Structures are given as C-alpha cells and as structure tokens.
Amino acid sequence: MPPVSEQQQRDLVGYGAEPPYAAWPGGARVAVSLVLNYEEGGEQNVLEGDLASEGFLHELVGAPPVVGGRDLNVESLFAYGARAGFWRVHRTLAAHGAPVTVYAVAQALERNPRAARAMGDAGWEVAGHGRRWIDYRHVPEDVERADIAHCVATIERLTGRRPVGWYTGRTSPRTRSLVAEEGGFLYDCDDYSDDLPFYVEAAGRPHLVLPYTLDANDFKFLIVHGFTTADDMLAYLVDTFDTLHAEGADRPRMMSVGLHCRIIGRPGRIRALDGFLEHVARRGGAWVATREQIARHWLATHPPRP
C-alpha cells in the first residue's frame, strides 16, 4: 500500500458543484479542442533498439508484439498514417477552417518533414508528445529530461515555433515536474479528470493542466466494444457536444476530441470528423480553439491564486 502522502496527491474533489465561469470568447458555451496525435515513425521497433515490435493502437487488435523481430504489417499500418492519413485529415480541417493542436512525437516529425512544414504553414499549434512514442514509466529521469528537451528543439526546428504545450500519454511519476521544470510550457494535458482547465503545483509553482480525453477519441476504433463505424464516433461526439452545450448555458465547458492520422485518416472514418465539424457549425455557441489559445485565455481570465 503506498504511503499516505502519495495517496493525498489525488484530488477527487476538483471544482465540485460550482465550477468557475469559463467566460470563453464570444460568449461560447463550449470550447472545442481538436487534437491530432502525430506518432507514426516514433513507435516501438527493434530497428530502434527496442525489444519487440509495437503492440498498441493499430488495426491488428490483440495481436501480440513480435519479440526480437519486426512486424512488417504493423509497420505499414503506422506508415499509412504518415503517408495518406495525415493528408486526408489536413484536407478535412482545411475545408472547415478548423484550428487544431498536434501532439507531435519528435522522431515522427523527423521522419516526415513535409508534414511538419504543413503543420507550420497551416498555423496549427504543435505541442510536444515525447522524443518517441513509448511508455516512460520505467525510463530513467535523466533520459526523460533529455527527451523532453530534444522534442522541444525538434519541433522548433521543423515547424518554426517551439511548443508551449505537452502531452506524454504514458507518463512516468516525474513527467509533470520535468515539464514544469523545463520552464517554457504554458500547460500539459496528461490528465482526464475534468471538463475545465485547472491548476496543480509542480516544480514548486502553479502549473496549468488542460484535461484531455480517451472517450471522445478515435482510438476507440481499435479496442474491443469501441467504435465500429464512422456513425458510431459521430453520434458519440455529437452527444458529448450537445450535453456540454446545454450545460454551458450556465457553466461553459471544454470538449476535447482525440484523433490519430492512422485511425481517423482512414477513408471509412474521416466522415466522423467532417460530420462533427458540420454539426458544431450548425449548432453554434462553440469556440473551436487550439489548446494554446485555451490555456492563454484561462491564464488571463482565471489566474492561479496565491
């Protein structure tokens, strides 16, 4: 059983029955944050010195990793996201004029600099998502710190702007403190516990957290009993937005949508993104924004208390 001090770090109260009034720009009821995870080329692979092939978030659901060897099928499924899926998502977002935040893995960007340039040219926010797309729970602290710095430098070099946001996904117990210690980030997203941003203490000072989502997320196409068709995901996104929109009459909320090039970028799934953006535009009352825009608004409107 962990020490009491560690247990006390869990906040199960949050804002409670009276969350703060977000005061989104334009009186919006919902701040909608689209997030595109760019990971293809940074996944686990024995070519990178890993012990096995990637076993997570690909179409061969449940297939065990190949230990000590390559899985060429899995490699090509990831390659689809970079070669074709990214550009299909890019075209869809451009057609709607929708801003997006990219969670970018440094090595993935290095393997496809054309995609990195397209992100910068489109004015997308590019946030850090690690040097590689791996589980950092057992990575030594000095290595994780160096990987964060490498990711920052790579994004700045390839897109023209350093990241101000961070999301590891598979964090270590030290990730948040290392991100806060780095000093150049406005926020991190390694949390799923609320419908609004909030502050925690990290590296001895207030640190902004923008919660992310694993429910309104296309990764559910690749789990048992998740989404099967584009209509499944579209219905879930619409239901989520409409609920938050109704609640937002009194207490505006934030909605995150998680996307992956190799998943939503498939032709049979892209309609979920297209249809959701159409619904949001018709319904009104939404501020579709990057996570940086949301963070800057929150820092200005709801600054941390001493």
Side-chain angles (χ1 to χ4, degrees):
M1 188 171 182
V4 172
S5 60
E6 291 185 18
Q7 292 178 336
Q8 290 174 340
Q9 293 178 9
R10 295 187 65 194
D11 180 0
L12 302 181
V13 177
Y15 291 126
E18 296 295 330
Y21 190 84
W24 302 131
R29 294 186 176 196
V30 187
V32 177
S33 168
L34 304 174
V35 174
L36 180 64
N37 293 264
Y38 193 85
E39 301 157 343
E40 291 79 5
E43 76 276 8
Q44 188 167 269
N45 193 310
V46 295
L47 297 176
E48 309 295 336
D50 299 316
L51 298 178
S53 64
E54 182 58 62
F56 188 49
L57 287 194
H58 55 68
E59 302 285 343
L60 300 177
V61 180
V66 176
V67 177
R70 298 173 66 183
D71 189 328
L72 298 181
N73 290 330
V74 168
E75 289 181 28
S76 66
L77 289 168
F78 273 81
Y80 183 92
R83 292 163 58 108
F86 170 80
W87 299 106
R88 183 170 286 115
V89 174
H90 187 283
R91 290 191 297 271
T92 302
L93 293 171
H96 289 272
V100 68
T101 296
V102 181
Y103 290 165
V105 172
Q107 184 168 289
L109 288 185
E110 290 172 321
R111 298 275 168 86
N112 193 351
R114 291 183 182 180
R117 285 196 298 271
M119 295 172 194
D121 291 345
W124 294 358
E125 180 197 1
V126 182
H129 192 19
R131 181 173 189 163
R132 294 189 58 219
W133 191 59
I134 57 175
D135 191 331
Y136 274 87
R137 280 177 293 181
H138 304 296
V139 172
E141 180 175 348
D142 59 335
V143 174
E144 185 174 9
R145 180 182 289 108
D147 281 5
I148 291 172
H150 177 89
C151 184
V152 168
T154 300
I155 290 173
E156 185 169 17
R157 173 170 55 87
L158 294 178
T159 71
R161 189 165 183 265
R162 73 143 286 155
V164 296
W166 186 266
Y167 175 75
T168 292
R170 289 173 284 180
T171 60
S172 80
R174 300 173 298 274
T175 300
R176 176 160 291 152
S177 62
L178 291 174
V179 168
E181 172 192 291
E182 194 274 344
F185 293 107
L186 295 177
Y187 69 92
D188 83 63
C189 305
D190 281 307
D191 184 275
Y192 315 95
S193 68
D194 214 303
D195 296 315
L196 287 174
F198 59 89
Y199 294 100
V200 297
E201 183 176 325
R205 58 182 179 272
H207 176 76
L208 183 62
V209 177
L210 267 61
Y212 185 45
T213 179
L214 294 181
D215 67 309
N217 192 309
D218 67 359
F219 100 98
K220 292 180 69 176
F221 281 111
L222 303 184
I223 63 173
V224 178
H225 304 307
F227 302 142
T228 300
T229 70
D231 286 337
D232 294 336
M233 182 173 180
L234 176 57
Y236 192 87
L237 294 182
V238 167
D239 286 348
T240 302
F241 177 79
D242 286 352
T243 296
L244 295 175
H245 189 280
E247 293 177 354
D250 299 317
R251 296 287 179 178
R253 308 292 195 185
M254 173 182 168
M255 176 182 176
S256 299
V257 179
L259 307 166
H260 299 74
C261 301
R262 63 189 178 278
I263 305 177
I264 198 69
R266 289 283 176 176
R269 296 171 179 151
I270 194 68
R271 189 168 57 82
L273 176 60
D274 184 56
F276 174 67
L277 292 173
E278 288 181 357
H279 177 80
V280 169
R282 286 195 307 268
R283 194 80 166 84
W287 177 41
V288 183
T290 66
R291 295 178 93 74
E292 178 183 356
Q293 290 174 314
I294 294 170
R296 291 190 184 279
H297 171 86
W298 201 265
L299 287 162
T301 308
H302 301 281
R305 296 179 179 178

